[in-house]
Amino acid sequence: MKNEINKKSLIAMICVFLLTISCMVYASYSYLTAQDGGPMEFIVGDVEANLSIYFEDESGNKYTLESTDVEIEYVGTSPSGTFTKSGVIKVNISDRNAKQFAENFRVDLNINSNVPTYVRIAAYEQLTLTYQSGGATREVAVVQTELTDFNYNFKSISNPDGKFYDNRSVDGFIYCTEQVQKNGDQTLTIPLISDYYSDRSFGTRDEKYSLQIGFIVEAVQYLDGAQNNWGLEKAPWGEDW
């Protein structure tokens, strides 16, 4: 009689256990399916963009920079004292035969993002007067009334295939007008300055003057990146992102 009771008790416990498991599964399923919301999209990837800066002469010879630094004497110290302006390029604006002459200045935008990306670029220029005094090289910043007229690859009536929009007068940035992404494992390269104007020459200055220029590149993913990071609900050229 005791064994029969024990068997009945064991069968009852198994039934209760199975019922409990069934209730847990049902409760979990109910919780997951009861959430009131539509499909959600999450983009996970790498966003990366940088610039290649170099000089190219009329014969097509390219001169890359081993360093993007300009080393100058520091004003106010001994003649041997120097400091480095990291990321600043010195452009020659006086000697047409110089490899680093302004008409030879080239800039490419490199995209290594594996998700669609928007990019904007800020160019910082400083016209500089350099002279020797007391055995040291001195430099003085000169006021510029307007930006240097490099032949940027801006979209326009005369250049409908241009990839960039000039918004520098508003917020200081040049915008790539398209979503960009690398081609598989291959970097996507877009020329920003690929040549100088064919119908004009760069106006030279005295050899004491030079142009110092540096860039900042900002890249954001296409999905709400410009809105959340740049505070721009619409693209500067008036269209939706």
Side-chain angles (χ1 to χ4, degrees):
M1 185 67 176
K2 180 181 290 187
N3 289 338
E4 184 177 349
I5 294 176
N6 288 340
K7 288 181 181 181
K8 290 182 179 180
S9 300
L10 179 59
I11 293 173
M13 292 175 62
I14 292 174
C15 290
V16 171
F17 176 75
L18 292 175
L19 179 61
T20 302
I21 293 296
S22 299
C23 291
M24 291 176 63
V25 172
Y26 174 77
S28 298
Y29 178 79
S30 298
Y31 174 78
L32 292 173
T33 57
Q35 303 308 299
D36 184 15
M40 298 185 67
E41 182 179 6
F42 295 93
I43 303 299
V44 179
D46 296 323
V47 174
E48 181 183 346
N50 58 66
L51 298 178
S52 293
I53 302 174
Y54 58 98
F55 293 84
E56 183 177 20
D57 62 22
E58 294 181 351
S59 300
N61 299 313
K62 294 183 179 181
Y63 304 97
T64 59
L65 303 173
E66 294 182 359
S67 171
T68 58
D69 299 336
V70 176
E71 293 187 0
I72 61 174
E73 300 281 350
Y74 182 72
V75 179
T77 64
S78 64
S80 60
T82 62
F83 75 97
T84 299
K85 294 182 178 180
S86 180
V88 178
I89 304 297
K90 187 175 183 179
V91 179
N92 187 298
I93 57 175
S94 59
D95 183 3
R96 295 188 180 280
N97 296 317
K99 295 178 181 178
Q100 292 183 224
F101 184 58
E103 291 186 5
N104 300 336
F105 186 58
R106 306 285 185 264
V107 182
D108 291 338
L109 172 63
N110 303 310
I111 305 297
N112 288 300
S113 301
N114 58 15
V115 293
T117 301
Y118 284 112
V119 179
R120 67 180 185 178
I121 303 163
Y124 297 94
E125 300 182 8
Q126 180 59 65
L127 182 63
T128 305
L129 170 64
T130 305
Y131 63 95
Q132 298 291 323
S133 177
T137 300
R138 316 281 181 174
E139 69 171 22
V140 177
V142 179
V143 176
Q144 285 179 262
T145 57
E146 57 187 27
L147 296 171
T148 305
D149 188 21
F150 291 116
N151 188 19
Y152 285 99
N153 185 19
F154 293 139
K155 182 183 290 292
S156 64
I157 295 176
S158 60
N159 184 30
D161 295 327
K163 302 298 184 183
F164 297 90
Y165 179 82
D166 187 6
N167 206 50
R168 289 176 295 176
S169 62
V170 178
D171 60 9
F173 284 95
I174 295 168
Y175 289 79
C176 185
T177 58
E178 302 175 357
Q179 295 177 16
V180 289
Q181 182 177 351
K182 67 179 180 179
N183 301 316
D185 294 331
Q186 300 297 315
T187 298
L188 173 65
T189 298
I190 306 173
L192 178 61
I193 303 175
S194 60
D195 55 17
Y196 196 68
Y197 299 99
S198 59
D199 58 348
R200 72 188 77 168
S201 298
F202 187 87
T204 58
R205 286 179 173 265
D206 185 273
E207 62 181 5
K208 293 182 179 180
Y209 291 91
S210 64
L211 177 69
Q212 297 183 16
I213 185 169
F215 297 88
I216 290 178
V217 182
E218 295 183 2
V220 295
Q221 73 163 6
Y222 82 99
L223 186 62
D224 295 331
Q227 293 88 332
N228 293 330
N229 292 277
W230 299 341
L232 298 175
E233 291 301 321
K234 284 187 173 293
W237 49 95
E239 299 177 359
D240 290 332
W241 291 105

